[in-house]
Amino acid sequence: MAPLLLSLAVALLLFYLGFVRRRPGIPRAAFHRREPGRAGDSGRQPPRAWGPRLSGFPLRLFVHVANTAFGQFCVMPLLLRMNNFTLMHYLDIREDPTFIPEVAPEGREEKPETKNTLEILEQLMETRSHPGNTGFSFKGIQDYLNCYRTGELTPLQVAQNIISSLEDCEKSSPPLRAIVQWDRVQIQKMAEAATTRYRNKCPLSLLDGIPVCLKEEIQVVPYHCRVGTAYLGTEPETEDATVTRKLREAGAIIIGVSNMHELGTGTTGCNPNRFHGTARNPYNPQHFTGGSSSGSAAAVAAGLCPLALGTDGGGSVRIPASFCGVVGLKGTFGLISCHGCLPLSYSTVSLGPICTSVTDAAIAYSILAEPDPLYPYGLQQPKPSLSEILTPDLKGLKLGVNWTFFKACDAEILAVCQKAVEHLQALGASVMDVPLPEMEEVRVAHVICILSEMMDFLQPDFNTHFQQMNLETRLNLTLASQFTALDYIKANRQRTRSMSFLQEIFTSVNCILTPATACTAPRIQDSDLLTGNNDVLTTLKSMRYMQLGNFTGIPGLVVPVGYTATGLPISFQVMAKWWDEAVLFRVGLKLEEFRDMTRKPAIYYDVLA
């Protein structure tokens, strides 16, 4: 082993020296001054990145080398340069840094609601119960409520079906691994209480009796909050997170906690440790679900529940929702309380629902979006308003597209998403070209912020539980250790600029449109299941359209709009200004009409049968 490591070290050193000498990059002394309020390049093509796909022994060896002195001083700095993560070194940004992307609601005069939120949601569900397309459709909240209200099924009967499905998931080959902790007694207890309420005609809310699951990053009594690891959450939780409590108060049946990419450090959902295993994509179990909220998306797509919760710091709700062909919402930063969630990254993470439909996302939004005195952000948020989403068309809406940025995706995705834009135009919306300045700076600054904050929180774990972490986690945290305080401050100066650009853009358009991801769900290799993997290029493509929302705090909604020739889902993203989730739902409802059919996943449990 020693000669092999020595050979590798020498080869990398020579490559490093040759790279530094030949690289046509920016000279160290050259700075690019960014004038306040004046944008740099808009929507330019993404830069070339470098990073071979590693798994198995090569990944193990690379992680070992990366954590040697040679790795710290030569290999990791080389990786930073090759993937442009040193960009901040060469920028002179004058704006003051924004460390938290919290934006106060506009002081606009609130219009009187012609209907209350419950009436609007009931009307939305009634519309969804008569879809224009035929064939398969996911069972949504409305389908459960119809069964309960008519007496066709009780919540307890549905719970028994779910328990049987969970048992089957564990026995199947390969196992789905969507729900990693569940308890028969807990499920039955909540279902019995919901059954009694429906019998007495006094349901608590539209979520009463509705099965839900929560990402393992969120505290749920009595489960272990392991956050995808083999070392955290050694004791069962004794206190619920705020969102867990709100779901219980709404009468939801919590069927368990869902799988996730370890510590949220990746976008595939690959997790080889002993407590978790890798969640499988219900549309094709030989493909990843996306991450990090992998199990939440898999559970919804497989029919185990119509609603799941995840966290989104770099697309971790929207990427798995897109790869699994369901709806995902990342709300405005601070919209939904993160109290009781592991604070892996305090400036980029938002909590959000993964659902079967836009209507179900609106229902979750109406119940979960509320100021929480235990959570310091979003305390001044406006009340949820849905009165303007019930429209027959999109007349009066201005939708922004930066076509250079939009087209930086796989050909099949682009073809479907361009047709989706045409569909929105046909409904009366105006589509306008908009600038998206300095997107490469956004990409780099977001990575610096999220990895630096995660490293800050996980530094004790990195020192004491290094050998218990997955290889990919070790590598990402090793990369994070390369960033400096200067990098972090400059990244947050860039955040100030990017938020200012968006404020200007949203004076002329209501929404920004992009594909959801630049690639579809990647294929699982056998070695991935044993050691995990590290695939820089796939990570960059899956996060390409996600990072702007996390970095600046604006909301984003992903909606499935089609499939590849091999049957993998393709999704579309709509982003809006801070606190304007209602316009996302309005556009999202029309996007659902674009797809003429919904394909049934290869793994699907009809718990209402």
Side-chain angles (χ1 to χ4, degrees):
M1 179 64 73
L4 179 61
L5 288 176
L6 181 60
S7 300
L8 178 66
V10 172
L12 285 173
L13 179 58
L14 291 173
F15 181 66
Y16 173 75
L17 293 174
F19 174 82
V20 170
R21 188 162 52 194
R22 291 193 309 266
R23 181 172 172 82
I26 303 170
R28 181 170 295 277
F31 281 84
H32 286 231
R33 176 167 293 179
R34 295 292 191 236
E35 298 296 337
R38 188 173 177 181
D41 294 342
S42 174
R44 61 177 178 249
Q45 286 288 351
R48 293 179 182 177
W50 182 87
R53 190 188 195 283
L54 298 175
S55 63
F57 177 73
L59 177 61
R60 194 180 302 278
L61 178 61
F62 190 80
V63 170
H64 174 78
V65 171
N67 283 280
T68 62
F70 171 72
Q72 289 290 298
F73 289 104
C74 295
V75 178
M76 300 312 288
L78 172 62
L79 276 180
L80 289 180
R81 284 177 59 86
M82 296 185 77
N83 289 285
N84 207 29
F85 290 144
T86 56
L87 174 64
M88 292 291 132
H89 297 179
Y90 311 114
L91 299 180
D92 181 14
I93 305 175
R94 300 303 179 90
E95 285 86 349
D96 290 337
T98 297
F99 294 104
I100 300 294
E102 188 176 25
V103 174
E106 295 178 352
R108 58 189 177 192
E109 190 175 319
E110 292 189 10
K111 298 178 181 178
E113 299 279 357
T114 55
K115 295 182 180 180
N116 65 40
T117 299
L118 182 60
E119 290 176 326
I120 295 170
L121 293 172
E122 289 281 5
Q123 187 173 343
L124 274 178
M125 289 190 294
E126 181 62 25
T127 302
R128 186 180 184 272
S129 66
H130 300 93
N133 53 18
T134 58
F136 171 80
S137 63
F138 287 105
K139 295 297 193 295
I141 291 173
Q142 174 65 36
D143 299 298
Y144 286 83
L145 294 179
N146 285 342
C147 289
Y148 299 159
R149 290 168 176 174
T150 62
E152 181 181 347
L153 285 172
T154 67
L156 184 58
Q157 289 172 314
V158 170
Q160 297 290 3
N161 290 343
I162 292 172
I163 290 169
S164 297
S165 299
L166 290 172
E167 291 172 338
D168 184 74
C169 286
E170 294 180 348
K171 298 174 185 175
S172 62
S173 181
L176 182 62
R177 299 307 294 159
I179 307 297
V180 290
Q181 297 180 61
W182 60 278
D183 183 278
R184 179 191 304 268
V185 173
Q186 290 288 324
I187 296 172
Q188 290 176 331
K189 180 180 178 182
M190 287 180 276
E192 287 170 355
T195 298
T196 299
R197 290 191 292 270
Y198 276 101
R199 186 183 302 123
N200 295 332
K201 301 188 183 304
C202 56
L204 297 174
S205 75
L206 293 178
L207 290 185
D208 202 343
I210 303 301
V212 302
C213 68
L214 297 93
K215 187 179 184 179
E216 202 183 47
E217 188 177 333
I218 303 168
Q219 292 175 358
V220 182
V221 177
Y223 301 110
H224 299 260
C225 189
R226 294 192 176 111
V227 202
T229 72
Y231 66 88
L232 287 173
T234 55
E235 299 294 329
E237 291 301 317
T238 57
E239 183 179 349
D240 281 333
T242 294
V243 288
T244 311
R245 174 180 55 80
K246 291 178 76 67
L247 289 172
R248 291 192 198 276
E249 292 172 350
I253 300 172
I254 298 173
I255 66 171
V257 296
S258 53
N259 206 344
M260 63 177 288
H261 204 112
E262 185 181 66
L263 294 170
T265 57
T267 62
T268 60
C270 184
N271 189 345
N273 77 43
R274 69 181 188 274
F275 286 128
H276 299 85
T278 296
R280 302 299 185 120
N281 192 319
Y283 272 94
N284 187 329
Q286 302 309 315
H287 286 251
F288 287 116
T289 57
S292 61
S293 306
S294 52
S296 294
V300 172
L304 296 173
C305 54
L307 168 64
L309 293 189
T311 58
D312 192 316
S316 290
V317 161
R318 292 164 292 157
I319 293 170
S322 302
F323 284 176
C324 292
V326 290
V327 172
L329 171 69
K330 185 207 84 72
T332 301
F333 180 84
L335 178 78
I336 299 175
S337 172
C338 288
H339 174 72
C341 305
L342 200 71
L344 293 170
S345 171
Y346 50 84
S347 78
T348 66
V349 171
S350 296
L351 218 152
I354 296 175
C355 314
T356 59
S357 68
V358 174
T359 297
D360 289 358
I363 293 172
Y365 160 79
S366 70
I367 290 173
L368 298 176
E370 188 178 36
D372 177 11
L374 299 176
Y375 185 60
Y377 311 121
L379 294 176
Q380 304 302 317
Q381 65 180 272
K383 292 181 179 179
S385 175
L386 300 174
S387 59
E388 296 182 4
I389 69 175
L390 289 170
T391 58
D393 53 43
L394 297 179
K395 291 179 180 177
L397 281 188
K398 296 178 180 178
L399 310 179
V401 178
N402 181 284
W403 286 107
T404 302
F405 188 55
F406 192 100
K407 292 177 180 179
C409 61
D410 292 350
E412 279 188 290
I413 294 174
L414 177 60
V416 172
C417 289
Q418 283 180 317
K419 291 179 180 178
V421 173
E422 294 169 3
H423 169 75
L424 298 178
Q425 277 184 297
L427 290 170
S430 301
V431 175
M432 304 171 58
D433 287 348
V434 294
L436 286 179
E438 301 175 6
M439 289 305 297
E440 174 62 3
E441 287 83 345
V442 168
R443 179 186 76 87
V444 173
H446 169 263
V447 169
I448 291 171
C449 287
I450 190 170
L451 284 183
S452 297
E453 290 167 12
M454 293 178 79
M455 188 61 185
D456 170 61
F457 182 77
L458 295 169
Q459 182 70 56
D461 295 5
F462 190 69
N463 293 335
T464 58
H465 296 286
F466 181 81
Q467 294 299 331
Q468 293 172 276
M469 291 178 171
N470 289 341
L471 293 171
E472 183 187 12
T473 304
R474 300 182 209 175
L475 186 57
N476 284 330
L477 293 180
T478 301
L479 179 69
S481 68
Q482 293 286 318
F483 296 127
T484 66
L486 181 61
D487 291 327
Y488 185 71
I489 292 172
K490 278 196 175 181
N492 283 284
R493 290 181 186 274
Q494 180 63 44
R495 196 197 310 259
T496 304
R497 290 176 62 80
S498 297
M499 293 175 70
S500 176
F501 296 148
L502 285 176
Q503 287 170 336
E504 178 66 25
I505 290 168
F506 284 125
T507 62
S508 57
V509 298
N510 302 98
C511 300
I512 297 172
L513 308 180
T514 70
T517 57
C519 63
T520 53
R523 190 169 183 84
I524 300 171
Q525 296 183 8
D526 291 343
S527 57
D528 299 341
L529 304 174
L530 300 175
T531 63
N533 74 61
N534 186 73
D535 188 349
V536 173
L537 299 183
T538 297
T539 299
L540 293 178
K541 291 180 76 173
S542 61
M543 292 176 63
R544 179 163 298 152
Y545 301 110
M546 302 284 123
Q547 293 173 284
L548 181 63
N550 294 109
F551 189 54
T552 63
I554 61 173
L557 179 75
V558 296
V559 180
V561 290
Y563 305 90
T564 66
T566 57
L568 293 173
I570 294 172
S571 293
F572 192 93
Q573 179 174 231
V574 188
M575 294 180 283
K577 65 184 175 183
W578 299 268
W579 311 114
D580 200 3
E581 280 76 11
V583 75
L584 298 183
F585 298 138
R586 181 180 173 189
V587 177
L589 288 167
K590 300 306 178 186
L591 279 172
E592 287 184 317
E593 298 173 2
F594 166 70
R595 189 178 57 181
D596 58 356
M597 62 167 290
T598 302
R599 295 188 184 182
K600 185 177 181 179
I603 301 174
Y604 188 77
Y605 296 92
D606 187 351
V607 299
L608 296 183

